[in-house]
């Protein structure tokens, strides 16, 4: 049932133009505009309902707890990384014979920095663009995911709602930080970033810390 729900969710993501400020259609890239007032209001309501608890120990965390990296959970023949590259890049080219699955090149309008980044698939070049979990897996692990089933953790790790193609070095800088310790340097994207994090945490019942809630409220206040 979860896999079917995830597949339906993937289809719905392509319809989201204002929620969290993301344009999810292939080649469209992230929309840097602030969420509209209705989306901000919705984010505030969801934030108010999230559980506020302390961070649990990181003990036992491993990437494998969330299933194999970039699995083809929607069974479209492409792994999740390529699905997100195809969604968020523009002017993509694809490896021949892969049914437009494996992205070879493209251009990213990076939401975190505002820079335009050229993506070229290769051992020494692919990391220029990375796929960020807006709510990091380790953060989720310490805020509820330890108690989830393997199926739910795999769904979470591959949910397009929680994934975004971004500048590689900034993704490394963010690491497993939550909103209390890291925000995109591009201030124009912070409202969208926080709204998306709240959407993800609300969907999966991931709790937040006091510091995280304060940071989120501060960003939404200025949206």
């Amino acid at each position: 049932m979860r896999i079917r729900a995830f597949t339906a969710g993937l289809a719905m993501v392509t319809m989201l133009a204002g929620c969290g400020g993301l344009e999810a259609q292939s080649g469209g890239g992230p929309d840097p505009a602030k969420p509209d007032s209705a989306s901000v209001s919705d984010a505030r309501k969801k934030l108010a309902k999230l559980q506020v608890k302390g961070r649990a120990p990181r003990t036992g965390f491993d990437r494998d707890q969330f299933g194999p990296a970039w699995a083809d959970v929607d069974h479209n023949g492409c792994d999740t990384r390529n699905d997100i590259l195809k969604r968020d890049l523009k002017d993509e080219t694809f490896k021949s014979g892969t049914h437009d699955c494996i992205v070879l090149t493209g251009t990213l309008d990076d939401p975190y920095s505002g820079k335009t980044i050229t993506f070229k698939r290769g051992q020494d070049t692919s990391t220029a663009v990375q796929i960020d979990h807006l709510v990091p897996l380790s953060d989720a692990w310490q805020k509820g995911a330890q108690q989830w089933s393997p199926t739910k953790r795999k769904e979470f790790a591959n949910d397009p709602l929680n994934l975004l193609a971004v500048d590689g070095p900034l993704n490394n800088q963010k690491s497993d930080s939550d909103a209390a310790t890291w925000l995109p340097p591009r201030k124009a994207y912070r409202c969208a970033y926080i709204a998306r994090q709240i959407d993800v945490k609300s969907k999966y019942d991931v709790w937040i810390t006091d510091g995280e809630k304060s940071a989120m409220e501060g960003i939404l206040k200025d949206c």
Side-chain angles (χ1 to χ4, degrees):
M1 290 294 292
R2 292 190 181 277
I3 296 300
R4 288 199 294 270
F6 167 77
T7 304
L10 176 60
M12 285 298 295
V13 164
T14 62
M15 299 173 63
L16 297 177
C19 181
L22 178 75
E23 172 58 63
Q25 295 179 357
S26 176
D31 183 354
K34 289 185 178 181
D36 59 29
S37 58
S39 297
V40 172
S41 177
D42 183 60
R44 288 173 178 152
K45 290 176 182 178
K46 289 179 178 178
L47 177 59
K49 294 179 180 179
L50 292 177
Q51 291 188 73
V52 179
K53 299 169 65 174
R55 182 187 292 271
R58 197 171 181 269
T59 306
F61 172 75
D62 189 279
R63 175 62 180 82
D64 291 343
Q65 296 280 4
F66 290 81
W70 309 131
D72 178 17
V73 295
D74 60 353
H75 306 295
N76 69 346
C78 303
D79 64 69
T80 303
R81 173 178 166 79
N82 278 291
D83 281 338
I84 301 303
L85 288 173
K86 186 175 181 179
R87 185 194 70 183
D88 290 351
L89 299 183
K90 60 185 181 182
D91 302 324
E92 309 100 314
T93 65
F94 301 91
K95 184 176 181 179
S96 62
T98 65
H99 303 287
D100 287 352
C101 177
I102 297 179
V103 180
L104 293 179
T105 64
T107 302
L108 174 69
D109 293 325
D110 177 45
Y112 288 177
S113 67
K115 298 188 301 184
T116 298
I117 302 172
T118 299
F119 172 78
K120 182 179 180 182
R121 184 181 179 87
Q123 183 175 352
D124 299 322
T125 56
S126 288
T127 55
V129 173
Q130 297 179 19
I131 309 301
D132 180 36
H133 287 92
L134 279 89
V135 176
L137 304 184
S138 175
D139 182 63
W141 180 260
Q142 296 173 82
K143 298 172 182 174
Q146 293 185 42
Q147 310 305 318
W148 297 351
S149 68
T151 298
K152 183 175 179 178
R153 287 197 290 263
K154 183 178 180 181
E155 177 186 339
F156 177 86
N158 292 276
D159 190 337
L161 182 64
N162 193 33
L163 298 172
L164 199 61
V166 300
D167 174 76
L170 282 180
N171 187 45
N172 291 334
Q173 180 191 95
K174 173 187 173 181
S175 187
D176 59 357
S177 300
D178 62 20
T181 53
W182 191 92
L183 292 168
R186 186 183 181 208
K187 293 182 179 180
Y189 196 69
R190 289 181 179 179
C191 287
Y193 178 78
I194 291 302
R196 279 283 293 282
Q197 282 196 332
I198 292 170
D199 278 346
V200 172
K201 293 208 166 193
S202 177
K203 178 178 179 179
Y204 288 92
D205 296 321
V206 178
W207 73 69
I208 54 176
T209 64
D210 278 320
E212 187 179 5
K213 184 173 184 178
S214 294
M216 288 176 161
E217 287 176 336
I219 294 298
L220 292 178
K221 181 180 179 181
D222 296 329
C223 291

